[in-house]
Amino acid sequence: DVKVTQSSRYLVKRTGEKVFLECVQDMDHENMFWYRQDPGLGLRLIYFSYDVKMKEKGDIPEGYSVSREKKERFSLILESASTNQTSMYLCASSLWLQPQHFGDGTRLSIL
Amino acid sequence: RKEVEQDPGPFNVPEGATVAFNCTYSNSASQSFFWYRQDCRKEPKLLMSVYSSGNEDGRFTAQLNRASQYISLLIRDSKLSDSATYLCVVNPSGSRLTFGEGTQLTVNP
């Protein structure tokens, strides 16, 4: 079974902090994704990566950056956290053109 | 127009009922299609892929109509454990997926 592991289930940070969300997958998938999910808005793609050191903007990249130094790890960075970034963050991975597999999610609260 | 549109529901049905969810998508070049299931406060999980010829997995049947850009999911003999949000998912290009907002289903005893 594919295992996608997110570093924290719950996280509380303060406005202005730099926040790191980590995601690791164990199935050698080339594709990795970061989403946020908010009530009434569904899943929205923030960034994705097709390969090591490659990244592509999704639909809502503002205020975020990503890092993919190793194939199995994809990090999401909130450069200066703001209250409107309070959300559920979901990481996913996949092979090319195959369904995505999700981690458990991180509920992030920015105070 | 949203790329993927679903009836948000909620759908409330009794155990044993048959329920159908519909979904439309706007990008005619979309390559693959899926239904995901998401339980409350959990991550989405793949329920089934959707093929042009239609496909069935136990009590679940998925249909695709490319001409009408329409996808459906039929659940027969609903169980309490089917209560969840069902996400219609479309692959417009590459490995990106576009998710509908989901249809909430509650199966009542």
Side-chain angles (χ1 to χ4, degrees), chain A residues 43 90 102, chain B residues 36-38 42-46 87 99:
Chain A
L43 274 157
L90 287 155
F102 285 84
Chain B
Y36 276 69
R37 170 198 168 122
Q38 186 172 24
K42 296 288 187 80
E43 76 276 20
K45 291 186 178 177
L46 178 67
L87 303 169
F99 288 78

Side-chain angles (χ1 to χ4, degrees), chain A residues 43-80:
Chain A
L43 274 157
R44 293 181 292 167
L45 182 64
I46 304 171
Y47 267 97
F48 58 107
S49 168
Y50 288 136
D51 202 350
V52 177
K53 296 194 185 294
M54 294 184 68
K55 60 185 178 184
E56 298 278 346
K57 292 181 180 179
D59 300 318
I60 51 163
E62 297 78 19
Y64 303 95
S65 63
V66 289
S67 171
R68 194 159 180 209
E69 296 297 318
K70 294 185 178 181
K71 191 174 186 179
E72 67 270 19
R73 186 181 295 271
F74 193 35
S75 303
L76 179 70
I77 303 150
L78 285 65
E79 297 289 344
S80 177

